């Protein structure tokens, strides 16, 4: 497996020389300053690639070549947007970058309510608190149907939080929810979010799926021609949010996407954390079913609150509800199958996703979830699991066990 690290370029407070000290060899990044829907010009791609190569890395993954909201809604000048996406793909391929991670989450990417929830023995983590999310939707946003989207106890707890919350508490909650948006783009105010949500009225699960299928039909053939791989990222959390449908949340959703355009270029980013936020998702089983379509892996773990409220927080990489050893075993087995089949892209890039804020991370102020020391700890733990499983496999192959 290819050790990689997400880097936000000039927006990142972690430098390439610092990343080099983690041992990672691949960089996962994007041109975050280019607005969604615009072409990534080859010169800009080449400049970023040269910067990465000169620092001793390989640009192994684009995360993300984002999908414009008009494509998700199925409105506007779609022909121009599809053409721009295909041109950006071609320009990336011309510079040797052949794999693109993207998502189809409407309006907002990953969603959390706390950016620095305390961790036992020190440090901080990202957390999704269902009562606070209910308070935001019902009382701050004023979404009338939100009361039906949460258990009664969660609605009551959210109401209690709102009644005692200060203006600063409410502002912090809005900031946390907006922090999942990537890059340098403006975050929504409550009023702005209401306006943006109105543009999705009448677009439910079926409509979103139809628009996703059209996107795939428009771009996957180009990926095949260019020898590229597209890999969709699951929803985070894998449930409807803000009244918006989420359609990449479970095994059945992934099966629909893989079957919609049954080409290897139409692949999956196996995000253990996003899928793991759904208690019903068996991550190693999902990985095993879609192993031949996995082109990228995000490895992190989730701890669910025992009250089954829907609240969760990000655990250390080898803790939480996902059996990380079993998951990595599936990915290593798939790499072996690919090598034996003579596939050129046998090695699966992965990155340690969303680390805790540990030690000096707390003062650094990096992107939420993208700490230096916390992710380095996660990478070291994952590296150890990979080494142990590879060693065990070699012993079995040699007949020593």
């Amino acid at each position: 497996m290819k050790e990689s690290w997400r880097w936000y370029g000039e927006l990142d407070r972690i430098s390439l020389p610092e990343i080099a000290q983690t041992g990672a060899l691949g960089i996962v990044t994007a041109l975050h300053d280019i607005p969604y829907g615009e072409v990534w010009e080859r010169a800009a791609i080449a400049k970023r690639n040269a910067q990465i190569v000169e620092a001793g890395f390989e640009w192994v993954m684009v995360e993300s070549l984002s999908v414009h909201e008009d494509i998700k809604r199925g409105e506007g000048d779609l022909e121009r947007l599809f053409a721009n996406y295909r041109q950006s793909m071609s320009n990336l391929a011309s510079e040797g970058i052949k794999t693109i991670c993207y998502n189809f989450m409407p309006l907002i990417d990953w969603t959390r309510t706390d950016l620095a929830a305390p961790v036992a023995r020190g440090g901080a983590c990202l957390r999704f608190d269902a009562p606070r999310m209910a308070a935001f939707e019902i009382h701050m946003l004023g979404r009338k149907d939100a009361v039906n989207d949460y258990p009664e106890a969660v609605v009551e707890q959210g109401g209690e939080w709102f009644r005692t919350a200060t203006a600063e508490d409410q502002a912090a909650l809005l900031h946390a929810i907006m922090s999942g948006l990537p890059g340098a783009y403006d975050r929504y105010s409550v009023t702005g979010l209401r306006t943006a949500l109105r543009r999705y009225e009448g677009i439910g699960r079926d409509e979103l799926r139809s628009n996703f299928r059209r996107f795939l039909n428009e771009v996957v053939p180009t990926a095949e021609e260019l020898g590229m791989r597209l890999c969709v990222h699951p929803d985070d959390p894998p449930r409807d949010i803000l009244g918006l449908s989420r359609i990449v949340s479970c095994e059945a959703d992934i099966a629909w996407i893989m079957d919609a355009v049954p080409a290897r270029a139409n692949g999956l980013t196996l995000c253990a954390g996003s899928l793991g936020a759904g208690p019903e998702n068996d991550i190693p089983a999902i990985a095993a079913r879609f192993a031949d379509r996995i082109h990228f892996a995000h490895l992190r773990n989730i701890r669910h609150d025992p009250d089954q409220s829907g609240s969760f927080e990000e655990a250390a990489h080898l803790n939480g509800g996902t059996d990380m050893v079993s998951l990595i075993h599936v990915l290593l087995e798939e790499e072996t199958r690919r090598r034996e089949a003579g596939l050129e892209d046998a090695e699966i890039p992965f990155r340690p996703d969303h680390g805790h804020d540990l030690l000096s991370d707390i003062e650094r102020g990096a992107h939420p979830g993208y700490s230096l020391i916390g992710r380095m700890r996660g990478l070291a733990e994952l590296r150890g699991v990979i080494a142990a499983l590879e060693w065990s496999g070699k012993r079995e192959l040699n007949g020593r066990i």
Side-chain angles (χ1 to χ4, degrees):
M1 295 177 68
K2 186 176 294 185
E3 295 182 4
S4 307
W5 190 275
R6 189 169 192 181
W7 180 58
Y8 285 93
E10 288 69 27
L11 302 173
D12 208 318
R13 297 192 178 184
I14 299 171
S15 68
L16 289 173
E18 288 177 308
I19 296 171
Q21 295 179 55
T22 71
L25 297 176
I27 290 293
V28 177
T29 192
L31 303 183
H32 293 290
D33 57 326
I34 298 178
Y36 295 2
E38 299 302 314
V39 172
W40 288 17
E41 299 295 347
R42 184 171 177 180
I45 296 168
K47 181 179 178 180
R48 173 58 58 84
N49 196 26
Q51 184 181 13
I52 291 169
V53 171
E54 287 169 8
F57 296 96
E58 176 189 1
W59 186 354
V60 297
M61 183 72 53
V62 172
E63 188 180 352
S64 297
L65 181 58
S66 297
V67 179
H68 195 279
E69 293 300 314
D70 281 356
I71 293 176
K72 298 173 189 177
R73 290 190 296 261
E75 64 182 30
D77 189 358
L78 295 180
E79 292 303 324
R80 182 186 71 85
L81 291 174
F82 290 135
N84 286 356
Y85 204 96
R86 290 190 292 264
Q87 186 60 57
S88 295
M89 291 169 60
S90 178
N91 292 344
L92 283 163
S94 296
E95 294 299 323
I97 299 109
K98 294 294 189 76
T99 314
I100 297 170
C101 170
Y102 69 99
N103 74 71
F104 215 80
M105 288 180 265
L107 204 59
I108 293 179
D109 288 4
W110 59 263
T111 304
R112 299 291 185 273
T113 59
D114 298 89
L115 302 181
V119 174
R121 304 186 69 184
C125 69
L126 300 179
R127 176 174 170 80
F128 180 89
D129 186 81
R132 290 193 188 186
M133 193 68 202
F136 177 79
E137 293 205 52
I138 297 168
H139 300 286
M140 292 175 60
L141 193 61
R143 192 172 70 81
K144 62 180 181 179
D145 295 330
V147 69
N148 300 318
D149 293 343
Y150 295 90
E152 183 177 349
V154 170
V155 172
E156 292 177 357
Q157 293 166 21
E160 292 174 4
W161 179 87
F162 182 74
R163 282 189 289 274
T164 61
T166 65
E168 290 76 13
D169 293 335
Q170 294 182 40
L173 178 57
L174 175 64
H175 172 71
I177 292 170
M178 290 297 105
S179 292
L181 291 168
Y185 298 105
D186 292 336
R187 275 55 177 158
Y188 295 107
S189 65
V190 169
T191 302
L193 183 56
R194 289 193 191 108
T195 300
L197 287 171
R198 281 197 289 270
R199 298 191 65 183
Y200 271 94
E201 290 179 356
I203 300 175
R205 182 177 179 84
D206 290 344
E207 291 80 9
L208 200 58
R209 271 190 166 184
S210 177
N211 296 338
F212 193 7
R213 186 193 295 271
R214 179 173 179 182
F215 169 75
L216 293 173
N217 286 330
E218 292 281 353
V219 301
V220 171
T222 299
E224 292 183 291
E225 292 171 7
L226 296 169
M228 300 188 80
R229 301 283 182 259
L230 297 170
C231 40
V232 65
H233 187 286
D235 304 323
D236 188 6
R239 50 159 292 173
D240 292 356
I241 291 286
L242 302 171
L244 300 170
S245 296
R246 297 286 185 102
I247 58 171
V248 194
S249 292
C250 62
E251 183 174 347
D253 286 346
I254 296 168
W256 182 90
I257 295 163
M258 299 299 105
D259 291 343
V261 179
R264 189 163 180 260
N266 175 30
L268 173 67
T269 295
L270 194 285
C271 183
S274 296
L275 290 169
E280 70 285 354
N281 286 330
D282 183 333
I283 316 305
I286 290 173
R289 178 174 177 181
F290 304 108
D292 63 333
R293 306 282 280 276
I294 294 172
H295 304 315
F296 188 27
H298 291 179
L299 301 183
R300 60 180 169 91
N301 226 316
I302 294 294
R303 185 190 70 79
H304 294 273
D305 283 14
D307 61 5
Q308 299 183 334
S309 65
S311 300
F312 63 88
E313 64 186 28
E314 303 199 358
H317 286 73
L318 299 188
N319 296 330
T322 295
D323 183 347
M324 194 63 67
V325 176
S326 293
L327 173 57
I328 292 174
H329 178 72
V330 170
L331 298 176
L332 290 173
E333 288 287 296
E334 172 60 16
E335 285 189 335
T336 298
R337 185 199 69 80
R338 294 179 188 184
R339 283 193 292 269
E340 291 176 349
L343 297 178
E344 293 182 0
D345 57 346
E347 193 172 23
I348 299 173
F350 79 96
R351 63 175 178 84
D353 202 8
H354 288 195
H356 288 172
D357 283 340
L358 303 175
L359 303 170
S360 61
D361 286 334
I362 297 170
E363 290 79 34
R364 183 183 289 264
H367 284 68
Y370 291 96
S371 59
L372 175 60
I373 296 173
R375 281 190 290 167
M376 184 167 64
R377 172 188 169 180
L379 178 58
E381 292 175 343
L382 297 168
R383 182 183 293 145
V385 171
I386 292 168
L389 288 171
E390 289 179 336
W391 178 84
S392 177
K394 289 177 182 177
R395 285 179 62 88
E396 289 181 359
L397 187 63
N398 293 332
R400 295 179 182 175
I401 296 178

